[in-house]
Amino acid sequence: MTDGKGRPETRLVHGGRRREWRGRLVNPPVERASTILFDSVADLKRNRPQLGTYRYALQGTATQWALAEALTDLEAGAAGTALYSSGLAAITAPLMTVLGPGDELLVPDNVYGPTRHFCDTFLKRYGVATRYYDPLIGKEIGGLVSERTRAILLESPGSLTMEVQDVPGICAVARDRDLVTLLDNTWATPLLFPAISHGVDITILAATKYVGGHADVMLGSATATADHYDRLQHVSWDLGHSVSPDDAWLGSRGLRTMGVRLKQHEESALKIAEWLKGQSQVGRVLHPALPDCPGHGHWRRDFKGSSGLFSFELKAGNEARAAFVDRLELFGIGYSWGGYESLALPIDPHRTVSEAPAPNLVRLHIGLEDPDDLIEDLANSLSKL
Ligand SMILES: Cc1ncc(COP(=O)(O)O)c(C=O)c1O
């Protein structure tokens, strides 16, 4: 265990690898279990549900605790991490923890589609009203807060249209008004944006993406401050959330190399985004590290780098866009991102209170292939438009 010592890349390697969990192995092994056996009834009765104590496998074993601790170790100011079987569950369970009937939730208009669907269906039935806001609203969000408002959800950058939010500004307003802030930090991970030190209360990762890194596991995490962690973890257990040891182990395995992978995703994605900017068939390139991206100033102020996901506008129409994506040979067509392989997807953002920054968008996830091969593939398809 690092006890929070070392720079982030060092913690990434050492976090969660307690001697008592791994023995003489480098990695804590996959511990498969449902029942945990106690020495006596007294022993069983003394036991309380908490991470790091064997009780019942819903509360995990060393395999899950190691991943949770490693993720907590990456966020200065965090008290703990709850794990989930998908990124979406890592969004919905924290929302259910902090909200109750009669409350109002503020949600960015560019939010990940299934999060929006959850707000508009389940939360609505549960008596929670959702108010959507322009992701670039910044401190003006104070004007939307009513006496029913309980929490603000953020997603920065938005995973479709890439707007970078003023996270510290919004969190400062939230603190003043006693509201809880929850951030979907999947694009940046704590390596590029340590969310809690920027004022966020609960920071969420679809660990399916960069933590897993190999397109072979569904996983989510929510890391929280001391004010929120205990309740979040216990409500999540009340809801029956758990993660299989195999999936937690894959998460830990991916996490150890996330730093070097992110550096390559960053370098290749920037090279390709810059190249796209110079192509006559391409309109706006929405990459947080490029000046044309809405909220780029926030990225420059707050982030330590960029990752591999961005979008760009194709000037051709809708049908040409589908054909453009179909012609690509090195880019897969599919949901998700953050794996070692490149992906391309036409996207049609659903907005109700703000405008998307550009029409006819294609979203790329730049994987670990040689970026020159990816550029050739894109050039070939663009030339046929
Ligand atoms: C920004 C963002 N958040 C959350 C999720 C949900 O993660 P999962 O697919 O693991 O449920 C996704 C998935 O694409 C995403 O892009």
Side-chain angles (χ1 to χ4, degrees):
M1 191 170 79
T2 56
D3 283 331
K5 288 196 199 82
R7 294 173 177 78
E9 274 74 9
T10 304
R11 295 186 200 185
L12 207 56
V13 170
H14 291 280
R17 288 174 46 215
R18 291 196 204 188
R19 178 68 191 250
E20 70 258 36
W21 292 344
R22 66 178 170 82
R24 294 195 168 276
L25 309 179
V26 172
N27 300 296
V30 177
E31 292 187 342
R32 298 204 129 276
S34 55
T35 301
I36 309 286
L37 298 174
F38 292 87
D39 289 339
S40 66
V41 173
D43 210 23
L44 179 144
K45 291 204 163 159
R46 255 196 309 274
N47 188 283
R48 291 276 164 271
Q50 59 186 22
L51 279 194
T53 303
Y54 286 96
R55 177 183 171 85
Y56 180 54
L58 183 76
Q59 281 82 39
T61 62
T63 317
Q64 290 93 342
W65 303 333
L67 174 60
E69 186 166 280
L71 289 167
T72 304
D73 237 13
L74 292 178
E75 282 281 355
T81 297
L83 297 177
Y84 303 91
S85 57
S86 70
L88 185 58
I91 297 167
T92 59
L95 287 175
M96 290 166 77
T97 302
V98 303
L99 296 165
D103 289 344
E104 188 173 76
L105 169 70
L106 301 181
V107 173
D109 202 20
N110 59 352
V111 75
Y112 172 61
T115 303
R116 187 180 196 109
H117 186 259
F118 174 77
C119 294
D120 293 347
T121 55
F122 182 89
L123 281 188
K124 187 172 173 198
R125 261 198 331 273
Y126 184 59
V128 173
T130 299
R131 189 160 183 190
Y132 291 97
Y133 66 88
D134 182 334
L136 296 169
I137 195 169
K139 288 186 175 167
E140 302 298 309
I141 200 157
L144 299 183
V145 174
S146 74
E147 54 190 45
R148 288 178 57 195
T149 310
R150 181 78 45 233
I152 305 177
L153 182 67
L154 302 98
E155 182 182 309
S156 181
S159 62
L160 297 177
T161 40
M162 312 310 296
E163 296 92 337
V164 187
Q165 296 195 259
D166 179 5
V167 176
I170 292 175
C171 289
V173 172
R175 243 186 335 273
D176 278 352
R177 312 288 280 267
D178 224 9
L179 309 177
V180 185
T181 48
L182 308 97
L183 168 72
D184 184 335
N185 196 30
T186 302
W187 184 89
T189 83
L191 290 186
L192 306 182
F193 185 80
I196 290 182
S197 51
H198 281 92
V200 172
D201 295 312
I202 301 177
T203 175
I204 292 160
L205 295 178
T208 306
K209 322 297 180 204
Y210 288 123
V211 173
H214 294 73
D216 54 7
V217 65
M218 299 290 295
L219 209 55
S221 67
T223 300
T225 59
D227 284 346
H228 299 280
Y229 169 63
D230 238 36
R231 195 169 135 70
L232 172 66
Q233 183 62 86
H234 281 83
V235 170
S236 300
W237 286 332
D238 287 346
L239 290 167
H241 284 293
S242 75
V243 166
S244 88
D246 304 86
D247 291 347
W249 186 87
L250 280 171
S252 290
R253 183 180 175 114
L255 190 67
R256 307 302 175 194
T257 60
M258 188 171 76
V260 287
R261 283 187 285 108
L262 276 176
K263 286 189 179 118
Q264 189 59 53
H265 286 299
E266 172 172 43
E267 188 182 315
S268 299
L270 275 170
K271 182 169 189 178
I272 291 167
E274 292 280 9
W275 176 82
L276 280 167
K277 255 175 42 179
Q279 306 309 304
S280 58
Q281 306 93 330
V282 171
R284 213 163 162 187
V285 178
L286 306 175
H287 184 302
L290 299 184
D292 219 16
C293 189
H296 166 70
H298 301 139
W299 177 84
R300 253 200 350 253
R301 185 190 65 190
D302 298 335
F303 285 63
K304 296 180 180 171
S306 56
S307 65
L309 188 79
F310 68 95
S311 299
F312 68 96
E313 175 191 356
L314 258 195
K315 289 182 185 161
N318 208 10
E319 261 177 49
R321 182 175 60 156
F324 164 79
V325 171
D326 284 345
R327 272 194 303 271
L328 295 170
E329 290 180 357
L330 295 177
F331 289 80
I333 303 170
Y335 295 114
S336 203
W337 46 280
Y340 61 82
E341 83 297 2
S342 291
L343 296 167
L345 201 65
I347 51 164
D348 297 296
H350 176 60
R351 314 276 282 232
T352 48
V353 300
S354 61
E355 290 284 315
N360 218 35
L361 289 164
V362 176
R363 186 179 76 174
L364 298 182
H365 176 256
I366 302 303
L368 303 179
E369 302 91 339
D370 188 314
D372 290 332
D373 286 332
L374 297 175
I375 287 175
E376 279 173 30
D377 197 20
L378 291 163
N380 175 52
S381 189
L382 280 178
S383 72
K384 300 197 167 76
L385 279 174

